Amino acid sequence: MLSEEQINRIALLSDEVLYPEAVSLIRQLLDEEDCEPLPNSQINGLHAISLALNYQALRDFVTHQTERNWPASKRNIEIFYQNLKKYMESMQKKRLKTEFHLLDDQGGVQAMRAQTEELMAQLMAEFIQHLVAENSRLQAYYKRQKEQTNKSLVGGEQ
């Protein structure tokens, strides 16, 4: 079980670190990888799994998505999950203890593993919540852009 200090630190990290990083990940995919926002089915599935707060299930889901044989038309989904998997691995291996100072060194190896799983589940639920929000915002933006383009094309032909 996480301490009150860990829970408070996660809340602060969510606003100050995870939110900007989630926005950055989505924007990088759109700007640098020429991807589109994720379809609702993908983002909602990811979000639902993250809310279960079971890090192993989330890790398994993301790994499965990276290993799928995606058709060329859905390459953006594959790229998204590859980047998310790298982010998760970096968070667990490098940032959890040294940068975020969330791991409590009390207890043995099993206690540390359990604490790591719980912390990662909480952190990734927060991160994915921000991904969902940014993805939804960008979906709406692209939809408006497309509608405006269509209106101007239809209006220009009259």
Side-chain angles (χ1 to χ4, degrees):
M1 186 164 171
L2 299 180
S3 70
E4 187 175 332
E5 181 183 343
Q6 288 170 316
I7 292 168
N8 291 337
R9 189 176 295 248
I10 289 170
L12 188 62
L13 286 168
S14 179
D15 292 342
E16 294 182 359
V17 177
L18 302 179
Y19 170 70
E21 288 180 359
V23 169
S24 178
L25 177 70
I26 293 286
R27 296 266 175 92
Q28 174 191 350
L29 293 172
L30 271 63
D31 297 342
E32 296 173 20
E33 302 280 352
D34 200 29
C35 293
E36 295 177 3
L38 285 178
N40 284 331
S41 60
Q42 286 297 321
I43 201 74
N44 292 338
L46 177 63
H47 191 224
I49 289 171
S50 76
L51 292 176
L53 297 178
N54 178 335
Y55 187 60
Q56 184 61 49
L58 177 63
R59 189 173 33 231
D60 290 346
F61 176 78
V62 171
T63 298
H64 171 74
Q65 297 298 75
T66 62
E67 294 172 351
R68 280 182 62 177
N69 188 13
W70 293 99
S73 63
K74 296 186 178 185
R75 187 171 185 285
N76 63 311
I77 298 171
E78 179 181 11
I79 292 169
F80 169 80
Y81 282 111
Q82 288 169 347
N83 281 285
L84 180 59
K85 185 176 181 182
K86 287 177 195 170
Y87 182 87
M88 291 167 63
E89 289 170 350
S90 171
M91 172 91 64
Q92 184 174 344
K93 290 177 183 172
K94 299 175 186 169
R95 302 177 78 194
L96 193 62
K97 183 175 183 176
T98 58
E99 183 180 337
F100 297 156
H101 307 288
L102 283 168
L103 274 176
D104 177 345
D105 286 336
Q106 306 298 319
V109 173
Q110 279 188 313
M112 289 291 288
R113 263 193 212 121
Q115 189 180 153
T116 297
E117 292 288 308
E118 190 173 0
L119 286 165
M120 286 300 299
Q122 291 284 339
L123 286 167
M124 291 312 301
E126 293 289 323
F127 182 76
I128 289 168
Q129 169 187 291
H130 296 307
L131 282 175
V132 170
E134 184 64 10
N135 191 76
S136 296
R137 191 187 72 71
L138 290 169
Q139 276 181 326
Y141 172 78
Y142 280 97
K143 183 179 178 184
R144 279 192 311 274
Q145 293 292 99
K146 194 175 196 175
E147 287 170 356
Q148 288 175 349
T149 301
N150 289 341
K151 281 182 184 178
S152 65
L153 288 175
V154 170
E157 292 176 2
Q158 294 178 357

